[in-house]
C-alpha cells in the first residue's frame, strides 16, 4: 500500500464517525512489536495507528524508525499510519514529518492556551504542506475527579478546545475526560456528559488516551459518546515485557532471540486482537 496521506486518514476517521467505532492506536517500542502490530492489522483487516513515543526515538533513532515504518506501511494491505505520540517538541515533530511519519501529536497542553495554539499552528502548517495529519491536546478540559473541577470550568475548557481547533486547523484532539496513562489503581470514572458536550462543540475526531485498564463497557460508552481513536500503550508493553521474561524463564537464556520474541509477539497479538474487537464497537 502507498504511503497514507492526510486525506485518507481523515476519511478513515470520518468512516469511524459515520459508523460509530474507533480506530485503535497501538504504541510500539521496537521492531518486533512493530511487526506484531502490522501483522495483527492485516490478519483482522483493521486500519491502525502504530505509535512511537519520543523515548523510542531516543533509543533507536528517528531515521531508522522512519525507514522501517515506511517499508512496513508499503508492504501492508491494510492502512497503517505511523504516528509520533506525545511529542512536546515542535522541532522533533517537524523532524518526524521529514522522516516519513504520517501523523504527529504535538503535546503542548501544559502551556498556556496562546502558546499551545502557537506550537500546534507551527506543526500544522508544516505538516499540512506535506500531507501529514496532526493531533493536539488541550489540558483545560478538566476531568471529573480533578481538583477544582466544576461543570463551569469544564465548559470553559470546551470553549478553549474549540478555539484551539478553529485557530490551528488541527486534525484530531485528545480530550481529558477522566482517563489516565498507565494502569489504574481504581477503575477510572469517565465523564460521558462532558465528552458529549465536546463532541457537539468540536468538529474534529476526538482521541481517548490511556486506554489500558479502562473496562470494555466504558471504552464502548466513550466510543458511543464520540471517541474515534483509542490509544493503548501500557497494556501492550506490559504483556510484551512479561512474555519475554517468562519465555526466558521457560526456555533458558541460550534460546535464540527470535524464538523468545515469537512467544512475545504471539501474546502481544492476542492483546491487539482484543482491542481491535473493542474499538470496532460491534
Ligand atoms: Zn497518551
Amino acid at each position: 500500500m502507498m504511503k497514507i496521506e492526510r486525506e485518507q486518514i481523515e476519511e478513515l476517521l470520518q468512516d469511524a464517525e459515520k459508523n460509530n467505532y474507533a480506530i485503535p492506536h497501538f504504541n510500539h517500542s521496537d521492531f518486533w512489536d512493530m511487526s506484531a502490530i502490522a501483522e495483527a492489522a492485516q490478519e483482522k483487516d483493521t486500519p491502525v495507528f502504530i505509535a512511537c513515543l519520543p523515548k523510542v526515538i531516543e533509543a533507536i533513532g528517528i531515521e531508522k524508525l522512519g525507514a522501517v515504518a515506511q517499508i512496513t506501511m508499503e508492504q501492508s494491505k491494510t492502512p497503517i499510519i505511523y504516528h509520533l505520540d506525545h511529542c512536546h517538541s515542535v522541532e522533533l515533530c517537524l523532524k518526524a514529518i521529514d522522516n516519513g511519519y504520517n501523523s504527529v501529536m504535538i503535546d503542548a497542553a501544559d502551556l498556556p492556551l496562546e502558546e499551545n495554539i502557537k506550537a500546534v499552528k507551527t506543526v500544522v502548517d508544516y505538516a499540512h504542506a506535506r500531507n501529514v495529519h496532526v493531533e493536539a491536546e488541550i489540558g483545560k478540559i478538566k476531568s471529573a475527579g480533578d481538583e477544582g473541577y466544576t461543570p463551569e470550568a469544564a465548559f470553559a475548557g470546551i470553549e478553549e478546545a474549540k478555539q484551539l481547533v478553529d485557530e490551528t486547523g488541527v486534525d484530531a484532539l485528545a480530550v481529558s475526560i477522566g482517563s489516565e496513562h498507565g494502569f489504574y489503581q481504581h477503575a477510572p470514572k469517565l465523564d460521558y456528559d462532558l465528552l458529549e458536550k465536546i463532541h457537539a462543540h468540536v468538529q474534529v475526531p476526538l482521541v481517548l488516551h490511556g486506554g489500558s485498564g479502562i473496562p470494555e463497557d466504558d471504552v464502548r460508552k466513550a466510543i458511543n459518546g464520540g471517541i474515534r481513536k483509542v490509544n493503548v500503550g501500557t497494556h501492550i508493553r506490559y504483556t510484551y515485557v512479561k512474555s519475554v521474561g517468562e519465555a526466558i524463564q521457560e526456555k533458558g537464556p541460550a534460546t535464540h532471540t527470535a524464538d523468545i520474541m515469537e512467544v512475545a509477539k504471539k501474546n502481544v497479538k492476542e492483546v491487539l486482537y482484543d482491542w481491535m474487537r473493542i474499538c470496532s464497537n460491534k
Side-chain angles (χ1 to χ4, degrees):
M1 180 166 279
M2 296 292 287
K3 187 179 173 188
I4 311 286
E5 302 210 317
R6 181 175 161 242
E7 291 74 19
Q8 290 160 280
I9 300 171
E10 276 188 310
E11 281 168 21
L12 289 170
L13 289 161
Q14 276 161 12
D15 189 72
E17 173 73 29
K18 202 172 126 221
N19 296 299
N20 194 30
Y21 65 94
I23 298 181
H25 150 135
F26 296 133
N27 280 86
H28 87 105
S29 49
D30 65 20
F31 296 127
W32 298 97
D33 55 0
M34 183 194 272
S35 30
I37 300 167
E39 285 169 24
Q42 288 179 91
E43 283 159 18
K44 301 292 176 189
D45 195 21
T46 300
V48 297
F49 286 80
I50 299 183
C52 169
L53 282 168
K55 189 178 178 69
V56 176
I57 292 179
E58 279 168 35
I60 299 179
I62 200 164
E63 293 85 0
K64 218 182 290 171
L65 285 164
V68 175
Q70 200 64 38
I71 295 164
T72 303
M73 292 187 281
E74 276 169 22
Q75 289 180 343
S76 177
K77 291 183 193 74
T78 302
I80 290 175
I81 301 145
Y82 196 46
H83 175 82
L84 174 61
D85 193 22
H86 284 290
C87 185
H88 298 290
S89 152
V90 167
E91 200 187 351
L92 187 59
C93 282
L94 307 192
K95 206 171 163 199
I97 293 165
D98 288 340
N99 279 279
Y101 287 65
N102 32 24
S103 176
V104 296
M105 177 193 190
I106 171 72
D107 180 353
D110 290 343
L111 301 178
L113 182 67
E114 290 307 317
E115 285 172 54
N116 189 355
I117 288 177
K118 197 164 162 253
V120 173
K121 184 85 173 73
T122 306
V123 175
V124 164
D125 287 347
Y126 194 84
H128 286 186
R130 291 157 182 81
N131 296 316
V132 168
H133 190 262
V134 182
E135 178 179 326
E137 176 171 335
I138 185 141
K140 287 289 173 60
I141 300 168
K142 296 289 183 210
S143 307
D146 277 359
E147 259 176 71
Y149 173 88
T150 62
E152 294 74 29
F155 199 77
I158 297 170
E159 287 303 315
E160 293 189 337
K162 193 175 169 348
Q163 191 186 342
L164 178 107
V165 170
D166 290 347
E167 289 185 16
T168 62
V170 75
D171 303 298
L173 188 68
V175 291
S176 164
I177 55 160
S179 62
E180 289 168 28
H181 293 107
F183 281 129
Y184 296 90
Q185 302 290 336
H186 308 282
K189 261 185 81 131
L190 300 187
D191 189 339
Y192 303 106
D193 200 44
L194 176 59
L195 174 61
E196 273 176 34
K197 287 196 183 98
I198 304 168
H199 189 223
H201 271 73
V202 176
Q203 302 306 313
V204 296
L206 303 178
V207 181
L208 182 67
H209 281 244
S212 304
I214 302 180
E216 174 169 345
D217 281 355
D218 292 336
V219 177
R220 286 178 185 270
K221 273 192 220 162
I223 294 170
N224 293 337
I227 290 292
R228 299 298 162 231
K229 175 172 174 274
V230 174
N231 290 13
V232 182
T234 308
H235 195 181
I236 297 167
R237 209 166 52 242
Y238 177 84
T239 305
Y240 189 9
V241 172
K242 187 167 178 279
S243 302
V244 169
E246 285 170 356
I248 294 169
Q249 280 292 320
E250 196 195 316
K251 296 170 185 287
T255 311
H256 195 283
T257 316
D259 296 327
I260 298 288
M261 301 318 272
E262 214 36 55
V263 178
K265 270 177 75 181
K266 189 174 161 284
N267 292 345
V268 164
K269 278 159 95 174
E270 292 301 324
V271 171
L272 303 176
Y273 299 149
D274 208 42
W275 277 103
M276 287 175 180
R277 180 185 59 76
I278 296 169
C279 288
S280 77
N281 203 17
K282 278 185 188 141

